[in-house]
């Protein structure tokens, strides 16, 4: 495989140029986990990997619990499938808990405080109740548990990492928490070795070509554990050396057809950008120097490479999509980007108007 083939292979494996999934959970299951601290953009990340989807479809799946949102992998929110949440937390939770331990100590949170918070959460959410963060904060305060600063957030995060709570349905725009055992039926258990192999298999199958270092970055695993996962995935993965770097791709290897003038409007923190430590295959380094908005913002992607950034502004009747391209968008490229904007509008259920600002070079 040549370096120029990497973007096209990643688009295909991430199901951006081959969106055939019918349900949101199918996308989340395929990717393993979808970064989701920005909730509305994360729904679009799922939607554009489906053959046909609307924002309401993804919201419904979230409300019903067929996709869940919790802290897993790196210490940030991700969408995960219900059957995967427990084994993923068992695998990656300990390292995240270690990472946040210093914050807990500096905020006078010890194991006694976490134990009290677990008992309170169990009582508050018992019987399938789903409560907003505001309601839980009030319950903590009534029980004289400290909620100042980041203490309350740390106690909720710790309960997520311990596999006790997860997302419930939203109340208006407010998120709720639910007791995990009430929200998700008992699912399969994996040994640690099986979990390492499964996470490696999911990652490289849905995101290859990628390196060991990319997998370490995405998963939050140690290098040794990540390497073991690759080894235990065995024949499900294929090794390749691309421009001197050892990469892994799904096996058996298949040629990926290049799609002429394929354009996508990717949301902030889309897996196409954030799932790799080295993003040089898809974005020119000179644009990265402008700031993290190019790497972690909403990006215009044409034929697998970042061609600029975009933002949207919604009104009652339409969505304005404003493009800021690195170079003028003309001819077939402009038509492809306009088509991508229309797909976004279809997802939102609104008409879209496209505007272009001056080049961001």
């Amino acid at each position: 495989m040549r370096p120029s083939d990497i973007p096209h292979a990643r688009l295909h494996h991430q199901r951006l140029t081959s969106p055939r999934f019918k349900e949101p959970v199918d996308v989340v299951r395929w990717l393993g986990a979808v970064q989701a601290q920005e909730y509305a953009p994360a729904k679009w990340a799922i939607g554009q990997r489906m053959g046909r989807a609307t924002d309401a479809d993804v919201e419904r799946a979230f409300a019903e619990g067929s996709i869940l949102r919790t802290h897993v992998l790196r210490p940030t929110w991700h969408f995960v499938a219900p059957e995967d949440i427990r084994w993923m937390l068992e695998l990656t939770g300990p390292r995240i808990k270690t990472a946040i331990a210093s914050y807990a100590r500096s905020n006078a949170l010890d194991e006694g405080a976490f134990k009290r918070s677990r008992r309170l959460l169990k009582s508050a959410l018992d019987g399938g109740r789903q409560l907003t963060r505001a309601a839980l904060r009030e319950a903590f305060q009534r029980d004289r548990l400290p909620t100042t600063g980041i203490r309350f957030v740390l106690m909720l995060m710790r309960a997520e990492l311990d596999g006790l709570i997860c997302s419930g349905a939203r109340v208006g725009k407010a998120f709720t928490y639910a007791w995990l055992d009430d929200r998700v039926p008992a699912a399969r258990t994996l040994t640690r070795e099986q979990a390492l192999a499964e996470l490696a298999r999911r990652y490289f199958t849905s995101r290859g070509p990628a390196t060991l270092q990319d997998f370490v970055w995405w998963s939050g695993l140690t290098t040794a554990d990540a390497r073991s996962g690759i080894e235990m995935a065995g024949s499900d993965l294929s090794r390749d050396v691309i421009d001197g770097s050892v990469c892994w791709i799904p096996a058996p290897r298949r040629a990926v057809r290049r799609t002429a003038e394929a354009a996508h409007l990717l949301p902030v923190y889309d897996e196409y950008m954030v799932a790799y430590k080295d993003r040089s295959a898809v974005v020119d380094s000179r644009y990265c120097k402008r700031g993290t908005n190019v790497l972690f913002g909403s990006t215009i992607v044409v034929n697998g490479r970042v061609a600029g950034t975009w933002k949207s502004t919604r009104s009652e009747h339409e969505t304005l999509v404003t493009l800021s391209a690195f170079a003028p968008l003309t001819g077939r490229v402009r038509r492809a980007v306009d088509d991508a904007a229309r797909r976004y509008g279809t997802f939102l259920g609104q008409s879209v108007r496209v505007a272009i600002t001056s080049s961001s070079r």
Side-chain angles (χ1 to χ4, degrees):
M1 184 179 291
R2 299 166 299 177
S4 61
D5 294 326
I6 293 176
H8 301 278
R10 287 182 180 174
L11 285 173
H12 173 75
H13 293 142
Q14 289 218 13
R15 297 300 186 253
L16 285 165
T17 51
S18 51
R20 60 183 183 223
F21 295 119
K22 295 182 179 180
E23 301 293 337
V25 67
D26 297 331
V27 177
V28 174
R29 190 180 289 125
W30 173 255
L31 292 170
V34 177
Q35 192 161 329
Q37 75 267 37
E38 295 290 340
Y39 179 70
K43 288 191 291 181
W44 171 228
I46 291 175
Q48 66 180 312
R49 290 169 167 87
M50 295 172 62
R52 182 180 300 174
T54 66
D55 182 89
D57 294 331
V58 184
E59 185 70 42
R60 187 179 308 109
F62 182 71
E64 293 171 351
S66 64
I67 59 174
L68 303 171
R69 184 171 175 257
T70 193
H71 282 88
V72 70
L73 303 181
R74 307 176 306 282
T76 191
W77 271 301
H78 285 78
F79 286 132
V80 294
E83 68 268 24
D84 295 327
I85 190 170
R86 288 187 176 88
W87 69 260
M88 281 194 185
L89 285 170
E90 288 177 3
L91 179 63
T92 68
R95 277 182 59 81
I96 304 175
K97 284 186 279 190
T98 299
I100 67 174
S102 61
Y103 295 100
R105 289 192 297 269
S106 64
N107 283 274
L109 287 175
D110 58 15
E111 284 303 314
F114 286 125
K115 188 175 181 179
R116 284 181 62 198
S117 70
R118 289 193 287 268
R119 287 199 300 265
L120 189 150
L121 286 167
K122 172 60 175 171
S123 175
L125 300 173
D126 192 38
R129 286 192 294 270
Q130 300 177 12
L131 298 180
T132 64
R133 180 174 290 192
L136 287 174
R137 184 187 293 273
E138 290 177 2
F140 275 50
Q141 291 170 343
R142 286 194 300 270
D143 203 49
R144 293 185 174 84
L145 269 171
T147 60
T148 55
I150 64 169
R151 292 173 180 174
F152 179 61
V153 172
L154 287 171
M155 285 186 282
L156 292 179
M157 184 185 294
R158 174 63 182 269
E160 288 179 294
L161 295 170
D162 287 337
L164 300 176
I165 64 173
C166 65
S167 58
R170 290 207 294 173
V171 177
K173 293 185 178 181
F175 292 97
T176 69
Y177 288 90
W179 195 251
L180 180 61
D181 285 346
D182 291 336
R183 187 75 161 151
V184 182
R188 63 172 177 162
T189 59
L190 301 180
T191 66
R192 194 170 191 279
E193 291 72 22
Q194 289 172 329
L196 286 171
E198 182 64 17
L199 198 64
R201 188 180 299 111
R202 296 275 189 100
Y203 175 78
F204 290 103
T205 298
S206 63
R207 294 170 177 83
T211 65
L212 168 66
Q213 292 74 26
D214 291 328
F215 181 41
V216 168
W217 154 254
W218 177 80
S219 66
L221 297 172
T222 65
T223 300
D225 278 344
R227 185 179 289 112
S228 294
I230 293 171
E231 292 172 354
M232 288 184 289
S235 60
D236 290 333
L237 303 179
S238 178
R239 183 180 184 274
D240 200 353
V241 179
I242 306 174
D243 199 24
S245 296
V246 175
C247 295
W248 300 90
I249 56 178
R253 297 178 58 170
R254 294 185 176 90
V256 175
R257 181 175 62 88
R258 296 194 179 203
T259 304
E261 310 307 344
H264 298 86
L265 297 183
L266 299 184
V268 60
Y269 302 125
D270 191 89
E271 291 292 320
Y272 188 74
M273 297 297 297
V274 303
Y276 309 92
K277 181 177 181 180
D278 182 358
R279 303 170 182 93
S280 60
V282 302
V283 61
D284 194 309
S285 61
R286 58 181 163 159
Y287 301 130
C288 299
K289 296 176 182 178
R290 295 183 56 84
T292 56
N293 66 311
V294 176
L295 288 179
F296 300 108
S298 300
T299 52
I300 306 166
V301 172
V302 178
N303 295 328
R305 292 194 58 85
V306 177
T309 59
W310 66 283
K311 63 180 181 180
S312 64
T313 306
R314 294 185 67 174
S315 64
E316 183 179 354
H317 301 293
E318 70 173 6
T319 295
L320 171 65
V321 172
T322 304
L323 310 174
S324 182
F326 297 152
L329 302 175
T330 59
R332 289 186 298 175
V333 171
R334 175 58 197 273
R335 290 193 290 274
V337 173
D338 286 347
D339 286 343
R342 282 191 287 272
R343 291 197 299 273
Y344 180 57
T346 299
F347 176 77
L348 296 177
Q350 286 193 315
S351 61
V352 165
R353 179 164 57 90
V354 179
I356 298 181
T357 65
S358 60
S359 171
S360 60
R361 285 185 298 174

